[in-house]
Amino acid sequence: MRIAVDLNRCQGYAQCVFLAPGVFELHGDEALMYTPAPPADQRERVLRAAAACPVQAIVTGEPVGSEGPYVR
């Protein structure tokens, strides 16, 4: 699984940090850091975090080819 966060859209609500703390982390008030290729055991947490994002800033999917665009 790969994830991407639209940091221009992210408003720092931190729902993702609450639901998947091993993948998402806030630094300061609004600086979100995340793991673009989270471990497989975090998949359900990441999917819940993406669904809970109030501004839908998190995109999840599987890469096509080695590094290609994501399949949702």
Side-chain angles (χ1 to χ4, degrees):
M1 164 181 261
R2 300 280 295 176
I3 61 174
V5 178
D6 182 342
L7 297 174
N8 291 318
R9 181 178 273 198
C10 177
Q11 298 294 305
Y13 290 107
Q15 294 300 308
C16 57
V17 176
F18 175 73
L19 292 167
V23 177
F24 301 96
E25 187 176 331
L26 272 183
H27 288 270
D29 290 335
E30 296 181 10
L32 180 70
M33 299 193 67
Y34 65 97
T35 305
D41 66 343
Q42 294 293 310
R43 181 179 177 81
E44 288 302 315
R45 288 180 175 266
V46 169
L47 292 174
R48 286 187 192 124
C53 179
V55 295
Q56 299 299 290
I58 303 168
V59 176
T60 63
E62 301 296 333
V64 175
S66 62
E67 297 180 29
Y70 299 109
V71 175
R72 287 185 172 178

